Amino acid sequence: MEATVTHTDGICDNKRALLDEIITANRERPGALMVVLNETQNKVGYVSEPMQVYIARKMRVPVGAVHGVVTFYSFFTTQPRGKHTMKFCMGTACYVGGVPQLMEKAKQLTGIEMGQTTSDGQLTMELCRCVGACSQAPVVTVDEEVIGRIKPTKFPQLIKKLLEG
Ligand code: FES
């Protein structure tokens, strides 16, 4: 098996080749930076800080512009996500409807904070904006599935299922 070489900038040969491929295929398209970042998120699974610097250099745009896009859109992550992603809705109805309490429970049960992934790579927890299901508050999403009217007594079971499956 071929060894994967990681350079001092923190990007291994395989990822560098993939980034080069994505940049070459899209650099002339309108909105090229957004397209490249989207493709990177989809194909690599995240856009780390070293990758942001690399993309900026290759596309001749300021690193700040790349960083700005990655941090603005919640679709992007700077670390690999876990097998499952749970997002807690921070819209007003959900906030008032009990999402902060669910977040506290989730932190206790998983031992991680928002924006982190469990060490076994099973679950990532994030915040999100209103997903349009306000009448079902409190709402979380799990891997794009919207789950509403969550009862605090049932919530630990959901977390347990995600940590195990
Ligand atoms: S406020 Fe949570 S779905 Fe709208």
Side-chain angles (χ1 to χ4, degrees):
M1 202 198 330
E2 246 178 70
T4 304
V5 179
T6 301
H7 296 273
T8 49
D9 64 6
I11 307 173
C12 69
D13 277 345
N14 292 350
K15 289 202 179 71
R16 190 186 298 264
L18 192 50
L19 288 179
D20 286 342
E21 194 182 295
I22 292 169
I23 292 166
T24 305
N26 296 293
R27 72 177 343 142
E28 304 302 331
R29 296 175 64 173
L33 178 58
M34 195 64 179
V35 177
V36 165
L37 290 173
N38 261 306
E39 287 279 292
T40 303
Q41 178 70 43
N42 285 331
K43 291 184 174 164
V44 181
Y46 60 103
V47 192
S48 67
E49 302 242 337
M51 285 152 85
Q52 294 172 34
V53 173
Y54 187 79
I55 290 168
R57 192 155 49 83
K58 284 276 177 174
M59 297 193 68
R60 297 177 202 276
V61 297
V63 178
V66 177
H67 187 69
V69 173
V70 170
T71 49
F72 184 78
Y73 295 99
S74 61
F75 165 74
F76 296 112
T77 55
T78 55
Q79 294 174 349
R81 278 195 172 105
K83 182 176 171 193
H84 300 292
T85 301
M86 175 177 276
K87 295 184 185 173
F88 295 81
C89 176
M90 293 307 282
T92 308
C94 286
Y95 194 86
V96 174
V99 162
Q101 289 79 359
L102 297 180
M103 282 165 53
E104 273 314 306
K105 194 75 203 162
K107 284 190 211 173
Q108 280 172 19
L109 293 169
T110 60
I112 59 169
E113 297 290 322
M114 293 300 132
Q116 294 183 340
T117 300
T118 52
S119 56
D120 61 0
Q122 198 63 25
L123 179 66
T124 299
M125 300 201 304
E126 296 177 351
L127 305 177
C128 68
R129 300 197 180 107
C130 172
V131 294
C134 315
S135 63
Q136 297 177 42
V139 168
V140 301
T141 65
V142 174
D143 305 333
E144 310 310 325
E145 183 191 352
V146 175
I147 304 175
R149 297 197 182 93
I150 297 177
K151 294 200 173 31
T153 48
K154 293 272 164 69
F155 188 59
Q157 282 169 296
L158 175 61
I159 295 276
K160 206 161 166 255
K161 206 172 96 190
L162 295 173
L163 290 174
E164 288 169 357

